[in-house]
Amino acid sequence: MAEHFAKKRAVKNRAKDAGKAAVKALGWWKAHRFLLLRRSCQLLIIGLFMVGPTLGVLRGNLSSSSLFDTIPMTDPLILLQTIAAGHLPELTALLGALIVVVFYAVIGPRVFCGWVCPLNMVTDAAAWLRRKLGLKVSYNWSPRLRYWLLPVLLLGSAVSGTVLWSWIDPVAALHRGLIFGMGASWILIVLVFALDLLLVEHGWCGHLCPLGAAYGVIGRKSLIRVTATNREACNKCMDCFNVCPEPEILRQPLKEGDRRVMSQDCISCGRCIDVCSERVLEFKTRIGAKYEG
């Protein structure tokens, strides 16, 4: 029995097979539930923007919008660049940024990245294809690079007098393209896809995106966290590492000490929970015990 257990603990699945054990053990729905919920949420938000002019549910774009023509929402990174460029934002823009910051500061780290951002579908597709093709080669970029880009953007906006990020933002480009037509924006999206597939594993979301960095800072103390509540059942299959866009954040919770993923780099996508056949991980709130030991 002990020998059988040792063999079970030594299991390490191939990257391209990530999730297959979960489908077999838990069923197709439980092995994909958070992925499907995220896609539904992303597509629903795009759909609401499309019918916004007709139904008035969600008007505007990801930079500045209003819900039911009543609740303003403003991208906090765009607002900061606007101020840095020397432009005084309207009161509704300030209120909209405050609403967005409070919402994402409370709910979970980088929830925007995993549940709202349309470019997440592109980067997820690149990561999936990378696993299926067995591509291992990747340039080693620092994940801190995106955080250095934040002050660079603010400084660039101050020097140029313009909202610098709006010229090169693939997230906004894809969102506009899906609603109004791609035009030349598809080139920028293809470049992001190629970056993630061929050059740097999780290159955009994991290393470059300053918008993701901003939401990471905003949500660093947020409530909902992926937690290894059943850590003892982990069989080291590596499926969660293979699908996570920020795999380094899973090492500490699965080893010892605090079982919660406390890193602000987590995008709260829940994919690691989906693919875990042993039900090691789940979403929990950070209030109360630290789940140590």
Side-chain angles (χ1 to χ4, degrees), residues 53-269:
T54 303
L55 301 182
V57 178
L58 193 58
R59 297 181 187 272
N61 52 51
L62 290 178
S63 297
S64 179
S65 59
S66 64
L67 184 63
F68 299 116
D69 292 325
T70 303
I71 303 174
M73 292 177 287
T74 307
D75 179 352
L77 182 57
I78 292 293
L79 179 69
L80 288 177
Q81 289 179 87
T82 300
I83 295 173
H87 305 293
L88 185 63
E90 297 181 357
L91 181 60
T92 53
L94 293 172
L95 178 60
L98 178 61
I99 291 172
V100 169
V101 167
V102 169
F103 177 79
Y104 287 110
V106 171
I107 188 170
R110 291 181 65 188
V111 169
F112 174 88
C113 301
W115 293 78
V116 178
C117 178
L119 197 61
N120 173 255
M121 293 185 283
V122 175
T123 57
D124 272 4
W128 175 85
L129 186 56
R130 186 181 178 89
R131 290 195 301 272
K132 294 302 179 183
L133 295 177
L135 300 180
K136 301 293 184 182
V137 178
S138 172
Y139 286 103
N140 187 23
W141 289 358
S142 170
R144 312 313 296 174
L145 179 60
R146 55 191 160 186
Y147 292 101
W148 286 106
L149 286 176
L150 289 175
V152 170
L153 285 176
L154 294 178
L155 180 60
S157 295
V159 172
S160 65
T162 64
V163 180
L164 189 62
W165 183 235
S166 64
W167 294 92
I168 54 176
D169 181 9
V171 177
L174 178 58
H175 185 259
R176 288 194 301 267
L178 290 173
I179 296 176
F180 303 111
M182 291 301 296
S185 297
W186 67 269
I187 299 175
L188 191 57
I189 309 308
V190 169
L191 288 176
V192 170
F193 182 84
L195 168 71
D196 276 30
L197 177 63
L198 302 174
L199 298 180
V200 185
E201 187 175 15
H202 309 301
W204 179 254
C205 292
H207 299 82
L208 283 181
C209 182
L211 185 58
Y215 278 109
V217 173
I218 290 170
R220 62 192 304 267
K221 298 295 184 181
S222 50
L223 293 178
I224 300 175
R225 300 283 166 164
V226 172
T227 306
T229 52
N230 194 25
R231 182 164 61 194
E232 293 74 19
C234 178
N235 62 6
K236 296 180 173 63
C237 71
M238 299 300 290
D239 278 3
C240 58
F241 283 86
N242 288 329
V243 300
C244 180
E246 305 276 356
E248 291 298 320
I249 68 176
L250 292 171
R251 295 188 182 278
Q252 180 272 320
L254 290 173
K255 289 185 177 181
E256 59 184 17
D258 196 337
R259 297 174 184 243
R260 301 171 301 178
V261 175
M262 297 304 291
S263 172
Q264 66 189 40
D265 293 334
C266 176
I267 70 169
S268 303
C269 67

